[in-house]
Each structure stands twice: as structure tokens, then as C-alpha cells.
Amino acid sequence: MILTNILNLAKMICSEVLSEGSIAVDATAGNGYDALYLCNAVGAGGHVYAFDVQEQALAATAERLENEAEFANYTLVHDGHQNMSSHIRPEHKGHISVVMFNLGFLPGSDKSIVTRAETTIPAVKTSLELLACGGITAVAVYTGQDGGKEEEKEIRSFCAGLDYHKFKVLEAEIINKPGFPIKLFCMEKV
Ligand code: SAH
């Protein structure tokens, strides 16, 4: 199945622009599933940066990558994604193919540590500067948790305001999913 969840759609879109040697960023490492996907997609010659503010998330990501990634082609960063620019090597700036944000809280962990629009929006803005032409920033937003609806509203409004001649923006949602909506925004740099 393709539409089992919205992250699958995000990965399908990202796969179109990732190839051996690509540089990618997982802006919210969480349990490391997206970082694992990115590491295997960019190959031995590529590189993946994965950010999280929680030690627990980085430990889970490190364990997953050590056990399951095909290559040791990643850097784990214990810092907020709003500071991503200061951790990306100068030669990778402007050459990043994909930045993935999977927002919300770490499943099975402290629900009070959650992404927030005030840091998410600056991080998304920075990601757009770091992208190569043709690169994609994909943002999955969960409206169920505390502050989630506001975060979605602000991201949508930021995305809708992007210059059409500089970025193409897709909004997607599985509209018959029970429970709270999950939105996907994909921004492609022209
Ligand atoms: N909601 C998703 C998982 C999200 S995990 C799901 O259900 O699958 C989101 C991760 O973002 C968490 O591990 C959290 O620690 C991290 N996070 C929160 N604020 C952050 C920030 N400013 N920078 C980087 N990571 C952040």
C-alpha cells in the first residue's frame, strides 16, 4: 500500500530527488525511522544529518542506525533544528536534496517535549535556504497534541505565502483517517 500513512507519501516524493551521494537532513530524529530511510537512500557517498533536542531520541536513533543502516554515513546532532545551519558543513549548504520534519512528540515518551511553531517556522525557513535547486523540505504536522492545531495553522500560512516562482508547495492529508488530522506539506525549491 502507498497511502498506509502520510509519511509514506512524503518518502515517495523524497525518493524522487534522492540518489547515491545526496545530502539529507532529518530535522526531528525521534525513533530514527526517517533517518534510517534517508541513510539507505543516499548511499555510502551521501550524508545524513539528524537533529533532536532529546538524548533519548538520539540514543534510539543511534541504535537503529548502528543495527539497520547499510552505511555509516550520518551525523547525529543534539540541538534544535532551528540551529541546523550551524551544524551543516559549509560544502553541504545549498546542496541538500531533502529535509524531513516529522513534528509532534516522541512516541512513547514525554508528551510535553513537542515541536512548536516558534522554532519550527525558523527551522523550515533555514531548511529552504540550505536546499539545492530541486530539493524538497517535507513537513508532517500532527494536529492532535497540545499546540498541534496552532502549529499546523502557522506552517500552512507560511507555506501558502512562499513565492510561487521560488517554491512549489503541496498540501496533502488522508482525509478519512479516524482521529485527528495529519497534514503533509512538501516545498520544492525551483
Ligand atoms: N509525531 C511523530 C514523531 C515525532 S518525533 C510520530 O507520531 O511518529 C518528534 C521529535 O522532535 C521528538 O523526538 C522531539 O524530541 C523532537 N523535537 C522537538 N523539538 C525539537 C526541535 N526544536 N529540534 C529538533 N527536534 C525537536
Side-chain angles (χ1 to χ4, degrees), residues 119-185:
T119 41
T120 304
I121 302 279
V124 170
K125 262 189 204 164
T126 302
S127 78
L128 298 179
E129 286 162 18
L130 294 169
L131 286 181
C133 291
I136 288 181
T137 289
V139 185
V141 197
Y142 299 74
T143 59
Q145 82 272 336
D146 184 30
K149 278 203 187 78
E150 293 70 26
E151 191 178 31
E152 190 272 335
K153 215 174 140 207
E154 290 196 37
I155 291 168
R156 192 185 189 286
S157 133
F158 169 77
C159 287
L162 286 170
D163 183 343
Y164 177 77
H165 300 288
K166 295 185 177 153
F167 296 95
K168 303 288 184 265
V169 188
L170 170 83
E171 175 181 12
E173 180 189 345
I174 297 176
I175 58 171
N176 62 342
K177 181 186 98 57
F180 63 84
I182 306 173
K183 281 281 184 76
L184 173 68
F185 297 99

Side-chain angles (χ1 to χ4, degrees), residues 26-72:
D26 181 352
T28 49
N31 285 316
Y33 292 102
D34 298 330
L36 176 63
Y37 154 73
L38 292 170
C39 285
N40 289 341
V42 304
H47 201 79
V48 174
Y49 297 87
F51 292 83
D52 209 289
V53 289
Q54 291 191 73
E55 288 277 13
Q56 187 190 339
L58 290 170
T61 299
E63 194 183 340
R64 185 167 315 284
L65 297 181
E66 275 156 29
N67 292 326
E68 299 176 48
E70 291 168 40
F71 319 99

